Amino acid sequence: MRVARSWLHALLIFSLASGALAGAGADEVADELKAIEDPTILKRRIWLDSEWNRFKDSSDDLEFTMGALWAWPVTANQDWALRIKVPVKFHMAGDAVADADREGLGDNKVAVGTAFRHSPSLRSAVGVEMRFPTASDNLGSNAYRTLLFGTFAWDVTREITFSPSVEYNKSLKEVRGSAPQEFIELFFPVIFLLPDRWSVVPRYEYKVDYANHDQVIRSAKLTVTKLLENQPLGFSLSLKKNIDETNKDFQINFVTTYYF
C-alpha cells in the first residue's frame, strides 16, 4: 500500500498536479526545501558546507564553511536578511613542482538582501555581499570584493519552481599583489519537490570572466536534499561538473542545515 501511494505521488508531481505536498505544514516543508537553491525564500538557518574540489593536476581543495542567515519580515510581502559565511580551507598538493600543502582560514563573507512576494507564485530578491581578504597562506582571492545579486522565482506548480539568478563580482582593492577580478555568473536551477521531504535540483551555470579575456565557463550541477521528519534538519548532496575545459575535474558538496 505504501509503495503504491509513493508511485501515485510521483505521478502527480510530474503531471503538474498539487497533491504531493498537501496537508498541515506542507508550506513550511516546501519553503525549507526550496530555500537551499532559491534566494527569494529567506529562512532562518545555520549550516555547515563541506566542499571537495578535485583538479586535473591531482591536487585537491577541501573547504568547510560555517554559515548563518537571519531573516526578519518588513511587511506582509517583504523580508530582510543578513548572511555570514566563515570558511576554513585545506589544499593538498598535486603533481605541480611548486605546489605544497596549505591550510588556514578562507575569505569571510557578509551579505544583506531583501526578498519580495509579488503573488502566491512569483517572488524576487536583490542583495549585496562583501568578501574580505582574511584568508591565510594564499587560500583566498586576496582582494576586497563585492558581489551584487538578483533573482526571480516562479512556482510553476506547488512542486516545481524555476529560480534563475545573476551575480556580478568585482574586486574593489587587491592585496598581496593579486590581480583585479571581475566576472558575472548566471544560475538556472529548477527545483522539484518530491514526496517524503525530498527534493532534486538540476542547475545550469554560465560564467563570463571579464578579467581573463572574457573566458566563458559553463557547468552543470545536481543537488539532492532530504529534510528529517521530526527535526529541523536538512541534508544536501551535490555534484558539479564543468562543461567547458578547465583545470577543475569536479566539485562535491555536502551541506547540513539546521532551521530555527
Side-chain angles (χ1 to χ4, degrees), residues 69-216:
L69 184 146
W70 293 269
W72 303 269
V74 179
T75 68
N77 295 311
Q78 182 185 4
D79 296 326
W80 280 93
L82 169 69
R83 184 181 69 195
I84 297 174
K85 295 181 179 179
V86 180
V88 176
K89 303 182 72 172
F90 301 84
H91 174 77
M92 279 70 73
D95 299 330
V97 175
D99 202 4
D101 293 345
R102 303 190 302 275
E103 61 183 61
L105 185 68
D107 289 339
N108 293 335
K109 307 171 189 176
V110 178
V112 292
T114 185
F116 303 90
R117 288 176 288 276
H118 305 289
S119 75
S121 61
L122 297 177
R123 299 176 301 278
S124 65
V126 293
V128 58
E129 178 181 87
M130 187 68 193
R131 174 180 288 198
F132 301 91
T134 55
S136 55
D137 207 5
N138 202 32
L139 290 169
S141 61
N142 290 327
Y144 292 91
R145 193 174 83 199
T146 56
L147 182 157
L148 305 176
F149 64 87
T151 186
F152 170 80
W154 173 36
D155 293 329
V156 183
T157 71
R158 286 177 60 88
E159 292 81 21
I160 302 177
T161 297
F162 180 50
S163 181
S165 61
V166 57
E167 296 181 356
Y168 174 70
N169 291 260
K170 182 176 177 58
S171 57
L172 301 179
K173 180 181 179 182
E174 296 78 31
V175 298
R176 294 184 283 273
S178 65
Q181 302 169 44
E182 184 180 8
F183 57 92
I184 191 170
E185 293 180 290
L186 304 174
F187 306 98
F188 301 93
V190 181
I191 304 169
F192 295 92
L193 302 185
L194 305 177
D196 299 323
R197 297 171 175 248
W198 286 89
S199 71
V200 59
V201 183
R203 185 169 91 171
Y204 174 75
E205 303 180 2
Y206 188 91
K207 176 181 178 180
V208 182
D209 190 345
Y210 299 118
N212 191 23
H213 308 291
D214 294 343
Q215 180 187 18
V216 172

Side-chain angles (χ1 to χ4, degrees), residues 46-61:
I46 58 175
W47 66 90
L48 174 63
D49 184 355
S50 304
E51 179 177 305
W52 171 31
N53 288 279
R54 177 70 172 182
F55 298 92
K56 294 181 178 178
D57 63 357
S58 298
S59 65
D60 297 275
D61 282 350

